[in-house]
């Protein structure tokens, strides 16, 4: 019996044709605060996935002469000193595709909404090179936010990077939610990434989007305040990879980074734990590159590449309105303009609290349809003159009639640009409302009656001048006939409102 067993084993050994496999293994020297220092692994690459003996994964961030630094993804406590580690040969990636729409996931693509596993067979690397100059085309196509003040004065185009900046509690996230809701008819896929926020805040954002029917085309990537610095660091790159999936398919995507100031803080924490030399405000030397390599991936691709677009709306929180701080100035220099929200305007009741003087879009009129240009060309100038005169008028005892008229016009236009949350406005309605304001039809109304007049006027147009609105939407301009109809409509409605 023993002879038979030994012969059988011998035959098995002789017939074995296994391929020898070489593995690069290392050992954990130290571990703590979500970071592991590893000896060995001489062939490891930056952003490569490592596997610890406990089964936990990590991502390589530091490559030093005698050791490597790795951020731990998963249970930090499971990685202890002396554990073996091996390279997987895989660069960090995440699940992408239609299966993620309507879901709330973490930066690794794992579900957080309790709806089961994410159904997606496609994956993309977290970090890739941004499209080259040859692969891009100029930003010309508007991305309508549904917010009058933005679409008329600080337009955003598909493929643009527009920074939203301001102190906390000034309405930055509110603008973003309205923009996402307005994409329902625009065929734009949205990815919202929450970095370092409370889980209750993320839940309320989900509920607001779900109630508006916007989660059908939206994915929320959540790295809440209680998650590790490594997950908060990875979150925007994961979201960008998900958005790029649609861009390279020839579709349009919008990604919102809320917010990059918390992302910079998470990266600073990781860098200090990895013993990188600190620079200004203890941020590492490559803090600019951290965000530039992320935001440069936003693009409007050339027709040869499919014509898809990825629009990025990063958010940055300022302290006491200081837009000249380190991180805000870094991101302002990377983006194509900024929308600055001011606390004083917010508390004065001007919402959205957009400071038209400090806000700018470097794409400008190229991202506006002609109809908006026709009515909004005078708007910014009128508002700028109004703010200048309003400051001067506080000290003047008597004002001439021309100055009073400008102040009245500016007050009425400020009222027209006010807008409630979760009420994005169709572009033809925006054109009609601003048309009435800049042409002076609201000047003889009381300031407090302007918004009620505007709401009634829009309903009146929808009922009796629907063809005129359709003509503006279709031609994307105000023809002579449409202009005459708008003048007729506003004059008729003024007579109706006076007789009430």
């Amino acid at each position: 019996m023993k002879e038979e067993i030994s012969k059988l084993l011998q035959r098995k050994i002789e017939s074995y044709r296994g391929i020898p496999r070489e593995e690069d293994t290392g050992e954990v020297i130290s571990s703590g605060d979500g970071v592991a220092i590893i000896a060995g692994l001489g062939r490891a690459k930056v952003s490569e996935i490592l596997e610890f003996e406990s089964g936990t994964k990590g991502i390589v961030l530091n490559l030093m002469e005698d050791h490597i630094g790795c951020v731990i993804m998963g249970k930090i406590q499971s990685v202890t000193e002396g554990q073996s580690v091996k390279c997987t040969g895989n660069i960090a990636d995440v699940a992408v595709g239609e299966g993620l729409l309507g879901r709330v996931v973490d930066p690794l693509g794992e579900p957080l909404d309790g709806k089961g596993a994410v159904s997606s067979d496609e994956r993309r690397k977290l970090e890739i090179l941004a499209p080259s100059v040859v692969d891009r085309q100029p930003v010309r196509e508007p991305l309508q936010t549904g917010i009058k003040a933005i679409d008329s004065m600080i337009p955003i185009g598909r493929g643009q990077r527009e920074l939203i900046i301001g102190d906390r509690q000034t309405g930055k996230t509110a603008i973003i939610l309205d923009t996402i809701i307005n994409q329902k008819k625009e065929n734009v896929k949205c990815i919202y990434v929450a970095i370092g926020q409370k889980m209750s805040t993320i839940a309320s954002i989900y509920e607001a989007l779900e109630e508006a029917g916007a989660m059908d085309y939206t994915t929320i990537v959540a790295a809440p305040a209680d998650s590790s610095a490594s997950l908060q660091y990875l979150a925007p790159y994961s979201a960008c990879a998900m958005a790029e999936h649609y861009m390279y398919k020839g579709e349009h995507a919008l990604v919102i980074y809320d917010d990059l100031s918390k992302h910079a803080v998470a990266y600073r924490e990781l860098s200090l734990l990895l013993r990188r030399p600190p620079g200004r405000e203890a941020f590492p030397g490559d803090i600019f590159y951290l965000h530039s390599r992320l935001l440069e991936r936003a693009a409007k691709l050339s027709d040869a590449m499919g014509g898809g677009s990825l629009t990025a709306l990063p958010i940055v929180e300022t302290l006491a309105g200081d837009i000249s701080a380190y991180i805000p100035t870094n991101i302002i220099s990377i983006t194509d303009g900024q929308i600055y929200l001011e606390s004083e305007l917010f508390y004065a009741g001007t919402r959205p609290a957009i400071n038209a003087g400090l806000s700018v879009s470097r794409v400008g009129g190229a991202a506006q349809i002609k109809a908006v240009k026709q009515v909004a060309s005078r708007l910014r100038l009128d508002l700028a003159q109004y703010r200048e005169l309003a400051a001067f008028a506080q000290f003047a005892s008597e004002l001439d009639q021309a100055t009073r008229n400008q102040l009245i016009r500016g007050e009425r236009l400020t009222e027209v640009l006010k807008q409630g949350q979760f009420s994005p406005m169709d572009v033809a309605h925006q054109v009609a409302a601003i048309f009435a304001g800049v042409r002076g039809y609201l000047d003889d109304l009381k300031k407090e009656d302007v918004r009620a007049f505007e709401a009634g006027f829009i309903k009146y147009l929808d009922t009796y001048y629907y063809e005129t609105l359709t003509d503006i939407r279709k031609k994307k301009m105000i023809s002579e006939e449409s202009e005459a109809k708008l003048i007729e409509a506003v004059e008729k409605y003024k007579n109706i409102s006076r007789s009430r």
Side-chain angles (χ1 to χ4, degrees), residues 436-449:
V438 296
R439 292 295 183 95
Y441 290 105
L442 310 179
D443 291 359
D444 57 346
L445 297 176
K446 289 181 182 177
K447 180 182 169 182
E448 55 271 19
D449 294 340

Side-chain angles (χ1 to χ4, degrees), residues 276-296:
R276 290 182 177 177
R280 180 176 163 187
E281 293 180 25
F283 286 106
D286 65 338
I287 193 71
F288 183 90
Y289 179 57
L290 172 78
H291 291 140
S292 64
R293 72 177 191 261
L294 171 71
L295 295 171
E296 283 297 332

Side-chain angles (χ1 to χ4, degrees), residues 115-129:
K115 294 182 180 178
V118 172
S119 58
S120 176
D121 298 327
E122 295 182 75
R123 300 186 73 83
R124 285 189 72 87
K125 289 184 174 63
L126 294 191
E127 294 207 48
I128 64 166
L129 287 175

Side-chain angles (χ1 to χ4, degrees), residues 206-220:
Y206 173 82
E207 284 173 13
L209 293 175
E210 181 71 36
E211 192 176 328
M215 281 307 295
D216 295 341
Y217 51 87
T218 304
T219 302
I220 295 177

Side-chain angles (χ1 to χ4, degrees), residues 105-416:
V105 296
D106 70 9
L108 305 176
E110 299 299 323
L112 296 173
D113 51 11
K115 294 182 180 178
V118 172
S119 58
S120 176
D121 298 327
E122 295 182 75
R123 300 186 73 83
R124 285 189 72 87
K125 289 184 174 63
L126 294 191
E127 294 207 48
I128 64 166
L129 287 175
S132 68
V133 173
V134 177
D135 293 336
R136 298 172 183 251
Q137 61 176 296
V139 175
R140 294 194 191 95
E141 199 175 346
L143 182 120
Q144 300 291 350
T145 64
I147 299 167
K148 288 174 284 186
I150 294 175
D151 290 343
S152 60
M153 295 190 295
I154 317 137
I156 299 170
R158 291 182 178 178
Q160 191 175 344
R161 301 150 301 176
E162 183 81 5
L163 172 63
I164 297 171
I165 186 169
D167 285 6
R168 65 186 304 273
Q169 299 295 319
T170 49
K172 298 187 295 296
T173 304
I175 283 179
I176 288 304
L177 293 180
D178 282 350
T179 302
I180 292 174
I181 291 166
N182 198 56
Q183 304 313 308
K184 188 179 286 186
K185 296 175 183 176
E186 301 287 332
N187 197 25
V188 176
K189 304 293 193 303
C190 302
I191 292 90
Y192 174 84
V193 52
I195 307 162
Q197 295 186 31
K198 293 180 291 187
M199 207 61 179
S200 58
T201 304
I202 298 169
S204 65
I205 288 168
Y206 173 82
E207 284 173 13
L209 293 175
E210 181 71 36
E211 192 176 328
M215 281 307 295
D216 295 341
Y217 51 87
T218 304
T219 302
I220 295 177
V221 180
D226 64 346
S227 63
S228 65
S230 54
L231 286 180
Q232 291 183 38
Y233 159 68
L234 292 173
Y237 297 101
S238 295
C240 191
M242 293 172 190
E244 280 175 332
H245 167 77
Y246 302 111
M247 177 176 74
Y248 285 108
K249 278 176 64 180
E251 298 177 26
H252 303 287
L254 169 67
V255 61
I256 294 110
Y257 306 112
D258 191 4
D259 65 272
L260 289 189
S261 43
K262 290 189 180 77
H263 181 240
V265 168
Y267 186 64
R268 175 172 64 184
E269 183 182 331
L270 289 175
S271 297
L272 292 172
L273 288 167
L274 290 166
R275 311 273 181 189
R276 290 182 177 177
R280 180 176 163 187
E281 293 180 25
F283 286 106
D286 65 338
I287 193 71
F288 183 90
Y289 179 57
L290 172 78
H291 291 140
S292 64
R293 72 177 191 261
L294 171 71
L295 295 171
E296 283 297 332
R297 289 159 71 178
K300 169 69 174 165
L301 293 181
S302 64
D303 292 334
M305 292 286 291
S309 72
L310 193 166
T311 309
L313 297 181
I315 295 176
V316 164
E317 189 178 291
T318 55
L319 295 172
D322 183 14
I323 60 172
S324 62
Y326 189 30
I327 300 303
T329 50
N330 271 357
I331 300 175
I332 284 171
S333 65
I334 297 166
T335 50
D336 304 317
Q338 69 275 347
I339 296 167
Y340 177 55
L341 302 178
E342 197 170 31
S343 303
E344 290 172 12
L345 288 173
F346 185 84
Y347 297 134
T350 303
R351 299 175 188 176
I354 296 170
N355 182 319
L358 292 176
S359 301
V360 65
S361 171
R362 295 191 187 106
V363 172
Q368 280 179 319
I369 63 170
K370 191 175 179 183
V372 176
K373 284 186 203 173
Q374 285 172 285
V375 296
S377 58
R378 287 169 51 188
L379 178 63
R380 192 162 191 148
L381 181 63
D382 285 347
L383 281 175
Q385 288 175 340
Y386 161 66
R387 290 205 170 94
E388 193 178 321
L389 286 171
F392 170 74
Q394 293 177 49
F395 307 103
S397 56
E398 292 184 13
L399 298 170
D400 61 86
Q401 189 60 44
T403 304
R404 281 202 293 271
N405 289 343
Q406 278 192 318
L407 287 170
I408 289 167
R409 175 71 57 85
E411 283 179 348
R412 304 309 180 266
L413 289 176
T414 301
E415 288 298 311
V416 167

